[in-house]
């Protein structure tokens, strides 16, 4: 099963490699990993998407908690939560029909075209991973020149929050 | 007080109460060594190879109750020490490893003797640090000692670039009395509800057994474990790492369990209905085939490391906490409860165990013309009154040491259980002797293992360490040979130790006493002679039976009740 795990971790050099190293050393999957400092500059927030049986995910959370730099951890999958991922996608848009089609699709998916050249568009799109996948599929015949995705971020719904 | 980084480091170690440091100098730790030269409070032990520094600190830590401290230089100093760090990590031994690093300005430039120490040691240490400012040395070292010695102990590496210990850069120093880390708060006290549930489950058992591990030793819980076991009058078995946690000569002790455990211990595991796992981690050498592990048991598991619980075997009553703290609370509950174990069932359980014991599973040939390795260990146990500190290397001799030297006290048996590091025994014995200068220290080893850190005989001479090296020399990598005999059609691929040195002359050339023993009749006399030489290291080279195997044995992938038995044991 897919799990999305949020981690508050000391914002120190090497913290990210401790998490990444743990996953490779123990043979766990990382589907995506995103990390950035929080409003408290001494802490980073990491969102990690992984897959595994209940036993494996239990071990993953325990092993993550065991890392000295990990301050707090929450498996968002255990409750209601919101998940977002951002994608920047560069597509060929040279002919009039291509440009129209891309513009229309982007609107349907509530994306923004944030860069325009004579032959290409860059679209910014946010949503859960499924939505981004669907957009890529919907592009159909349109040539994708480049995609960049930030990996999932997540937050629990309601009062529940991951903080110190 | 304004001090240089090197002065701070040495002053900190004094303030922390460190008495001895195991190390080896080199370019990037020269500032630190210059400070060590100027003082006498901290004793520096010069080893002959950095691996030995870590093993010696390990042996020191296991038998002194204090963390071991290691000091090595950058690059090869670090990579040599890695085996010792990984060994300590697998066995949860408190250790602080201070490593020199190239100056901060050239880190990452492939400088001379540069290696990514933090990267290399990350997966084999509890935690590690790179100190980039002399002002951070004291707090970082304080964190390192705190991390190494609390919770589930382990080695912590502190990497210090050469410029950070520059004698010309002075910064303020005061000893940090305490340290708090928001991300690190190991749980000591067990959950009261879980402890109650565990007590209920234990008291409802018909065929209970205690399976105790290294956590008992690390937690200092031998007394509470002994009290609990005796109060309940139930059988107890131990892992390799747990030996000495309960007196081995006691009637309730079934011996070690697992791959080379006793018949009675493994059968009792297989037939038990309640398993009480205490400070043990269900290692594959213990569980055998996991699907058939304790098939009828409900399991209580006490461990300080939550990640050890339900890692390989799902347990029914997990208790996260310090073993001694949890056992103390359990004892209190049991004293205050009216319920007790069903004595009729318990009596039947002991009768069943007595039947298994009657197989005499550790029996060996006493009439052989060749020296039996088991006999040597038995005699060693007798002659030292069962009270020596014993380190081992890895292989057959290690198992015979575990089976035949009956440890009645904790912290007496020092062995590389998790990593299985050949070369561990001799340097570990040095560390033990430094921590216990007046005690008998024996290193049980084999001709394969001893050669992996043989250079330390020189260190032993420099410090006049009166170790007794018991070399069970069968001219084979015995455990490899045994597996090849059992599972590879007796094709002894590269397990024969050809071109061995003359160990007697070798010992003598290092300034020690060497004795070769070739007849069973001479074993006892040689051991007595060795231990009578109180001031000298004696290298006892026992030429043993080449074909002897370790029994019982559970082959890989087999369950506890599927043991290969010694031809000498009484089959039932």
């Amino acid at each position: 099963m897919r799990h999305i795990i949020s981690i508050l971790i000391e914002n120190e050099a090497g913290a990210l490699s401790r998490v990444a190293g743990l996953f490779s050393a123990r043979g766990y999957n990382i589907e995506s990993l995103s990390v950035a400092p929080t409003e408290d500059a001494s802490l980073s927030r990491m969102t990690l998407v992984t897959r595994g049986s209940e036993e494996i995910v239990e071990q993953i959370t325990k092993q993550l908690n065991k890392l000295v730099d990990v301050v707090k951890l929450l498996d968002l999958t255990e409750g209601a939560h919101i998940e977002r991922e951002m994608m920047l996608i560069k597509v060929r848009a040279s002919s009039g029909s291509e440009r129209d089609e891309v513009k229309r699709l982007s609107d349907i998916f509530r994306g923004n075209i944030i860069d325009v050249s004579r032959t290409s568009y860059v679209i910014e799109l946010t949503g859960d991973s499924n939505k981004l996948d669907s957009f890529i599929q919907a592009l159909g015949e349109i040539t994708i020149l480049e995609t960049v995705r930030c990996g999932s971020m997540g937050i629990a719904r309601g009062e529940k929050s991951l903080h110190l | 007080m304004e001090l240089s980084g090197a002065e701070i480091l040495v002053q900190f170690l004094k303030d922390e109460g460190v008495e001895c440091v195991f190390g080896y100098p080199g370019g990037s730790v020269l500032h630190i060594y210059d400070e060590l030269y100027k003082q006498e409070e901290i004793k520096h032990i010069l080893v002959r190879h950095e691996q030995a520094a870590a093993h010696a600190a390990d042996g020191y830590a296991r038998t002194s109750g204090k963390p071991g401290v290691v000091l090595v230089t950058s690059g090869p100093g670090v990579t040599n020490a890695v085996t010792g760090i990984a060994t300590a990590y697998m066995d949860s031994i408190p250790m602080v490893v201070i490593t020199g690093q190239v100056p901060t300005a050239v880190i990452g430039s492939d400088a001379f003797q540069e290696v990514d120490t933090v990267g290399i040691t990350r997966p084999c240490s509890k935690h590690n640090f790179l100190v980039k400012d002399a002002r951070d040395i004291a707090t970082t070292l304080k964190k390192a000692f705190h991390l190494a010695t609390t919770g589930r102990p382990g080695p912590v590496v502190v990497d210090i670039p050469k410029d950070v210990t520059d004698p010309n850069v002075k910064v303020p120093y005061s000893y940090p009395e305490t340290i708090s880390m928001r991300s690190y708060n190991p749980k000591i006290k067990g959950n009261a509800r879980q402890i109650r549930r565990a007590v209920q489950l234990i008291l409802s058992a018909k065929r209970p057994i205690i399976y105790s591990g290294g956590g008992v030793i690390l937690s200092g819980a031998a007394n509470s474990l002994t009290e609990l076991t005796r109060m309940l009058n139930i059988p107890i078995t131990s892992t390799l790492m747990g030996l000495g946690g309960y007196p081995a000569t006691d009637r309730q002790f079934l011996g070690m369990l697992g791959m080379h455990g006793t018949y009675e211990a493994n059968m009792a595991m297989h037939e038990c209905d309640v398993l009480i796992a205490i400070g043990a981690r269900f290692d594959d050498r213990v569980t055998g085939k996991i699907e058939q592990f304790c098939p009828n048991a409900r399991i209580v598991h006490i461990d300080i490391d939550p990640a050890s619980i339900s890692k390989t075997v799902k347990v029914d009553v997990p208790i996260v906490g310090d073993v001694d703290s949890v056992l103390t609370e359990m004892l209190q509950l049991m004293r205050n409860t009216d319920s007790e174990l069903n004595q009729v069932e318990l009596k039947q359980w002991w009768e069943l165990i007595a039947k298994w014991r009657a197989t005499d599973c550790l029996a060996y040939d006493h009439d052989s013309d060749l020296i039996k390795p088991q006999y040597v260990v038995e005699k060693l146990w007798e002659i030292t009154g069962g009270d020596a500190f014993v380190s081992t290397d890895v292989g057959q001799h290690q198992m015979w040491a575990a089976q035949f030297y009956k440890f009645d006290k904790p912290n007496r048996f020092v062995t590389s259980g998790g990593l299985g590091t050949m070369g561990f025994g001799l340097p570990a014995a040095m560390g033990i002797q430094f921590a216990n200068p007046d005690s008998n220290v024996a290193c049980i080893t084999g001709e394969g293992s001893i050669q992996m850190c043989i250079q330390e005989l020189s260190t032993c001479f420099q410090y006049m360490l009166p170790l007794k090296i018991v070399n069970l020399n069968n001219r084979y990598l015995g455990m490899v040979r045994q597996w090849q005999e059992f599972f590879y059609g007796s094709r002894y691929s590269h397990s024969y130790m050809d071109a061995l040195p003359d160990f007697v002359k070798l010992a003598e050339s290092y300034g020690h006493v060497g004795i070769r023993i070739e007849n069973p009749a001479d074993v006892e006399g040689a051991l007595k002679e060795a231990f009578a030489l109180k001031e000298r290291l004696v290298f006892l080279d026992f030429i043993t039976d080449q074909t002897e195997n370790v029994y019982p044995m559970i082959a890989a992938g087999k369950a506890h009740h599927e043991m290969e038995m010694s031809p000498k044991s009484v089959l039932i």
Side-chain angles (χ1 to χ4, degrees), chain A residues 40-58:
Chain A
D40 172 352
S42 70
L43 283 174
S44 286
R45 166 99 173 212
M46 198 178 276
T47 312
L48 204 152
V49 180
T50 183
R51 263 175 212 281
S53 64
E54 287 310 304
E55 293 78 36
I56 287 177
V57 173
E58 185 184 329

Side-chain angles (χ1 to χ4, degrees), chain A residues 12-14 18 69, chain B residues 74 97 99-105 107-108 114-119 121-122 127-134 136-137 140-141 143-144 156-164:
Chain A
E12 275 173 17
R18 287 183 203 283
D69 280 339
Chain B
S74 63
V97 183
T99 59
Q101 182 55 280
V102 299
T104 42
I107 287 180
E114 179 184 2
V115 81
D116 175 10
T117 300
V118 166
T121 58
R122 188 184 301 120
H127 197 59
N128 58 21
F129 298 95
L130 173 63
V131 184
K132 287 190 158 170
D133 190 320
D136 297 333
I137 291 177
T140 308
L141 283 172
K143 281 182 187 172
V156 178
V157 177
V158 181
D159 196 27
I160 308 181
K162 189 171 186 180
D163 55 310
V164 175

Side-chain angles (χ1 to χ4, degrees), chain B residues 385-560:
Chain B
D387 202 32
F389 288 87
V390 174
S391 74
T392 77
D393 274 298
V394 173
Q396 286 185 320
H397 70 266
Q398 180 187 29
M399 293 299 110
W400 286 317
Q403 291 174 336
F404 290 90
Y405 199 104
K406 296 181 180 65
F407 294 92
D408 281 340
K409 292 180 190 165
N411 309 103
R412 283 289 198 273
F413 184 50
V414 176
T415 193
S416 169
L419 198 66
T421 308
M422 290 171 72
F424 174 80
L426 175 56
M430 299 183 333
I432 299 169
Q433 191 81 76
F434 279 111
N436 306 275
D438 302 323
S439 301
N440 282 332
V441 180
C443 168
I444 301 180
T445 182
E447 83 290 345
S449 287
I450 192 67
Q451 291 191 84
M452 283 210 188
C453 273
I454 192 82
Q455 76 285 346
E456 296 308 316
L457 286 175
S458 173
T459 311
C460 293
F461 185 67
Q462 180 177 347
Y463 298 96
M464 289 313 278
L465 301 175
L467 306 177
K468 307 298 176 250
I469 297 173
V470 177
N471 189 36
L472 301 177
N473 184 347
N474 66 351
R475 288 84 69 213
Y476 267 117
L477 300 175
M479 192 57 93
V480 173
R481 195 206 61 83
Q482 178 169 344
W483 280 59
Q484 287 171 337
E485 180 188 331
F486 288 5
F487 311 119
Y488 295 88
S490 296
R491 292 182 298 281
Y492 298 128
S493 179
H494 299 270
S495 53
Y496 183 68
M497 292 300 285
D498 226 344
L500 286 170
D502 179 331
F503 285 109
V504 171
K505 283 188 187 155
L506 184 74
E508 285 168 358
S509 80
Y510 276 109
H512 304 302
V513 178
I515 307 175
R516 181 173 301 110
I517 305 96
E518 287 170 292
N519 290 311
D522 300 333
V523 168
E524 193 168 344
L527 283 166
K528 281 186 175 155
E529 186 186 339
F531 281 95
L533 288 169
K534 296 273 176 215
E535 310 294 323
R536 303 294 299 276
L537 183 148
V538 183
F539 193 114
L540 294 144
D541 189 24
F542 292 97
I543 308 302
T544 61
D545 183 353
Q546 291 197 280
T547 58
E548 192 58 43
N549 288 323
V550 182
Y551 290 107
M553 177 176 188
I554 302 173
K558 292 284 173 74
H560 277 153

Side-chain angles (χ1 to χ4, degrees), chain A residues 10 18 42 59 62 66 68, chain B residues 128 182-183 305 307 309:
Chain A
E10 296 287 356
R18 287 183 203 283
S42 70
Q59 261 301 303
K62 282 175 168 176
K66 198 170 151 180
V68 169
Chain B
N128 58 21
R182 62 181 172 185
S183 62
D305 178 8
I309 289 174

